[in-house]
Amino acid sequence: MAKLSSINKNERRKKLVKQYAGKYARLKAIADDTSNDEGERLMARLKMAELPRNANPTRVRNRCEVTGRPRAYYRKFGLARVMLRQLATRGMIPGLTKSSW
């Protein structure tokens, strides 16, 4: 199980990303639009730099919903490989069975 502080920190990051998502998307669109002049694009980049660092969506870490493990995460299930295997052998995940031969 991951440290509770790491899990909580990631949850705070998710909240900030959600809070600043609209503003971040608008500024990013302006900064990436090559039809705008360089000054306008630069101002958009500077305004993006003023946003909180944790408002950037890339700072959110995918973690297992059950254990909080950050590695070996399967997006389709929202679980780490360890929990995926345990729940699959118990038959807790619909449509998923552990193969044996």
Side-chain angles (χ1 to χ4, degrees), residues 69-89:
R69 181 183 166 91
R71 308 274 175 115
Y73 176 83
Y74 286 86
R75 286 184 183 184
K76 184 175 181 178
F77 302 104
L79 299 170
R81 64 176 173 80
V82 178
M83 288 309 298
L84 182 66
R85 182 181 168 120
Q86 281 183 6
L87 294 175
T89 54

Side-chain angles (χ1 to χ4, degrees), residues 4 8 17-18 20 23 34 39-41 43 47-49 53-54 57-58 62 72 75 79 81 99:
L4 195 58
N8 291 338
V17 167
K18 196 173 189 179
Y20 286 97
K23 188 173 187 177
T34 56
E40 190 176 355
R41 293 175 65 193
M43 290 305 294
K47 286 180 183 176
M48 282 175 66
R53 190 172 277 192
N54 286 333
T58 58
N62 289 331
R75 286 184 183 184
L79 299 170
R81 64 176 173 80
S99 64

Side-chain angles (χ1 to χ4, degrees), residues 1-92:
M1 181 106 173
K3 287 174 32 177
L4 195 58
S5 61
S6 300
I7 296 170
N8 291 338
K9 187 186 301 183
N10 202 44
E11 292 301 318
R12 286 194 305 269
R13 285 179 180 155
K14 285 180 185 177
K15 281 184 189 175
L16 265 180
V17 167
K18 196 173 189 179
Q19 180 182 348
Y20 286 97
K23 188 173 187 177
Y24 188 86
R26 281 193 307 277
L27 290 172
K28 181 92 170 126
I30 293 170
D32 290 344
D33 189 8
T34 56
S35 64
N36 293 336
D37 65 331
E38 288 298 318
E40 190 176 355
R41 293 175 65 193
L42 178 64
M43 290 305 294
R45 289 276 180 207
L46 291 173
K47 286 180 183 176
M48 282 175 66
E50 292 174 2
L51 294 177
R53 190 172 277 192
N54 286 333
N56 191 332
T58 58
R59 298 203 29 124
V60 175
R61 181 86 166 144
N62 289 331
R63 290 186 172 270
C64 177
E65 293 295 320
V66 179
T67 60
R69 181 183 166 91
R71 308 274 175 115
Y73 176 83
Y74 286 86
R75 286 184 183 184
K76 184 175 181 178
F77 302 104
L79 299 170
R81 64 176 173 80
V82 178
M83 288 309 298
L84 182 66
R85 182 181 168 120
Q86 281 183 6
L87 294 175
T89 54
R90 292 182 195 156
M92 304 285 282

